[in-house]
Amino acid sequence: MSIAWNYLDKRSGTVQAIKDFSSMKFIIDSTDSAVKNVYDGMSGVGSPNMDGMPRSHDPKAGEGRIVSGIDEIDVLKERYRQAVEYMAWFVPAWEQLTDDEQFLLTTFYEHEEYSMVSPVDIICQTYSIERSTAYNRKNKALNHLMTLLFGKR
């Protein structure tokens, strides 16, 4: 199934794809170490509980830990596969944008909830333009990216 199906509504899907970029990059960068940590947890011996409380003996606890680890690794690998598919879909379109278009979209969508200053104000100050012009440029850049991702509107 194509990654584009996750972003079915083209305009809001384009915005969500911009917002998802940093998460997908993190998944790709951290999956190897996460899988290694799960493998390490699967092969270790359970430590005794030293609180004085009696324990019930589960003769299949080791098997359960291995099965649980395998399930977790499957989830991590599927997440990784989806992130790689996303990058193969999104990055070529992103790279075709101009530097100004990338700046506009990054400023407006990736940093909107973290900034004390409105993203529109940052854009207005950077380009010395009015708010309406900033919105128009952002919309034009968003439409360009949407066309690159999904084809004709």
Side-chain angles (χ1 to χ4, degrees), residues 104 120 123-135 137:
L104 288 166
V120 177
I123 292 168
C124 290
Q125 290 173 0
T126 302
Y127 293 109
S128 300
I129 56 177
E130 294 181 5
R131 291 177 72 85
S132 61
T133 306
Y135 279 110
R137 285 188 183 180

Side-chain angles (χ1 to χ4, degrees), residues 21-51:
F21 180 77
S22 59
S23 299
M24 296 298 175
K25 187 166 175 34
F26 174 78
I27 289 169
I28 288 173
D29 293 341
S30 66
T31 298
D32 288 340
S33 63
V35 168
K36 183 185 176 303
N37 290 340
V38 173
Y39 272 126
D40 290 345
M42 287 171 41
S43 62
V45 176
S47 62
N49 194 3
M50 298 295 197
D51 62 359

